[in-house]
Amino acid sequence: MKEKVVITAAITGAIHTPTMSDHLPVTPAQIIEEAVRSYEAGAAVCHIHARDPQTGMPVPDVSVMKEIITGIKSRCDMVVCITTGGGLGMSVEQRVAPVALYRPELASFNAGSINFALFPIVPRYKEWKFDWEKQYLGMTEDFIFANTFKSMREYCAVFAENGTKPEFEVYDSGMINNIAFLIQSGYVSKPVYIQFVMGVLGGITPSCENLLFLVEYAKKLIGDFEFSVCVAGRAQFPICTQALLLGGNVRVGLEDNLYLEKGRKAKSNAEQVAKIARIAEELGISPATPDEARQILGLKGIGQVNF
Ligand code: KMH
Ligand code: ZN
């Protein structure tokens, strides 16, 4: 086990919709506030998506993204990890645009294509706060989250040109093979940083056996690497605790899970960060500061970003 853990707060994402929780931040001001409060609770990294401030719909709007990331940077020194997963239906060009514009230290890099299915959630709700929500979720019955080898090669080039470290989002074991291929092809260099994303319908389910398998399989194919774990839904805290025991880092936040515990919605991202920080401390592991996280993840430094 390590002594320090990098806690990432995934503030809002592009999966949950405003109907699902009153506490989901959607405006730039709310997202900035949630990121700063997460930092105060122990998060060294925030993972950022942009939403339409009026409707909460995920949008590929680089000016909204800029408002959010500059707002966070003006208030704390946490690492800003910009999404390149974006939201459902965005083009690969729209998704990667903020990397070239803002040259962040870290950005997500989805390591392969999957069925990204949210449609089973729809019948749980009778009324929606906004018109777009039902259609957005429902259309995923026929949706592929496309990350082809061509677009991954192009993403590698954009990341390298801008000194942005890829955080490889791995939803299933085949994606580890994809990363090994990108390394062997010289498109990306080691050590890589992997975020194991468990619990998306279309990807691997969260279980202790599956996480152990992913970590061991990645060791076999890639050798040394840094990793973090995030889980969609209620297994978030148990599996993140397992990640701590395996020497990994953790991601929590309302992007992945709206609850703090069974039957109790989280009122903020910071509540979830504080909970995982507490669990880590009990295990003798302290939350890394942003600068310690930069060291652990091999980032270029906050002085090198373009925002
Ligand atoms: N929302 C997660 C399931 C990204 O932003 O690039 C995956 C994610 C993807 O965080
Ligand atoms: Zn995301």
Side-chain angles (χ1 to χ4, degrees):
M1 284 200 319
K2 49 169 139 201
E3 289 173 6
K4 298 277 176 177
V5 58
V6 177
I7 301 178
T8 294
I11 306 293
T12 187
I15 292 177
H16 293 129
T17 68
T19 295
M20 298 173 190
S21 174
D22 293 336
H23 307 294
L24 187 71
V26 294
T27 68
Q30 289 166 345
I31 293 170
I32 294 163
E33 188 62 28
E34 287 280 307
V36 173
R37 287 180 60 201
S38 297
Y39 160 77
E40 288 162 356
V45 180
C46 57
H47 170 78
I48 299 297
H49 289 247
R51 291 181 184 257
D52 180 304
Q54 262 75 50
T55 66
M57 185 172 177
V59 284
D61 186 326
V62 290
S63 56
V64 176
M65 181 60 82
K66 187 174 184 184
E67 187 179 347
I68 296 167
I69 61 182
T70 52
I72 295 167
K73 185 162 171 261
S74 72
R75 291 183 52 192
C76 67
D77 70 340
M78 74 194 306
V79 176
V80 173
C81 171
I82 297 181
T83 180
T84 69
L88 306 172
M90 295 179 196
S91 70
V92 287
E93 292 80 13
Q94 285 174 324
R95 287 163 38 196
V96 80
V99 174
L101 279 174
Y102 306 127
R103 315 187 74 188
E105 296 177 83
L106 186 66
S108 67
F109 184 125
N110 290 269
S113 303
I114 55 163
N115 288 326
F116 204 112
L118 308 172
F119 67 91
I121 303 172
V122 171
R124 291 192 214 157
Y125 298 90
K126 294 281 165 280
E127 286 178 10
W128 300 88
K129 280 187 191 160
F130 296 97
D131 291 342
W132 63 270
E133 298 176 69
K134 188 176 178 187
Q135 197 271 337
Y136 182 83
L137 300 166
M139 68 88 169
T140 59
E141 189 179 11
D142 196 25
F143 176 73
I144 293 170
F145 184 38
N147 296 283
T148 64
F149 279 102
K150 177 173 178 285
S151 64
M152 288 194 283
R153 173 172 53 75
E154 290 168 352
Y155 271 40
C156 282
V158 176
F159 276 64
E161 277 160 26
N162 292 286
T164 300
K165 178 107 181 181
E167 177 190 291
F168 284 108
E169 316 290 313
V170 164
Y171 302 81
D172 218 333
S173 57
M175 295 188 189
I176 296 167
N177 197 16
N178 299 353
I179 298 169
F181 174 82
L182 297 175
I183 295 168
Q184 281 152 20
S185 305
Y187 299 140
V188 70
S189 45
K190 286 169 59 168
V192 294
Y193 177 41
I194 297 177
Q195 182 78 254
F196 293 113
V197 183
M198 309 183 82
V200 172
L201 182 58
I204 199 164
T205 52
S207 73
C208 293
E209 293 86 346
N210 286 349
L211 179 55
L212 203 51
F213 162 67
L214 290 173
V215 172
E216 290 303 317
Y217 186 52
K219 275 187 200 161
K220 214 178 281 176
L221 290 195
I222 295 172
D224 286 339
F225 58 93
E226 195 66 40
F227 75 95
S228 176
V229 177
C230 72
V231 181
R234 73 173 68 142
Q236 182 188 56
F237 285 104
I239 299 293
C240 281
T241 303
Q242 185 194 2
L244 293 170
L245 297 174
L246 292 175
N249 303 289
V250 294
R251 171 173 124 173
V252 294
L254 301 184
E255 169 161 348
D256 303 327
N257 177 27
L258 295 171
Y259 287 80
L260 190 62
E261 58 192 35
K262 195 165 187 278
R264 189 164 144 220
K265 286 215 168 111
K267 290 201 177 74
S268 67
N269 281 272
E271 270 193 336
Q272 290 189 350
V273 172
K275 177 167 172 171
I276 198 69
R278 238 170 19 241
I279 294 170
E281 295 280 11
E282 289 290 339
L283 298 171
I285 307 168
S286 313
T289 65
D291 280 341
E292 287 166 343
R294 289 181 173 98
Q295 197 77 34
I296 292 166
L297 304 179
L299 307 182
K300 64 181 176 180
I302 196 166
Q304 306 298 314
V305 302
N306 190 33
F307 58 90

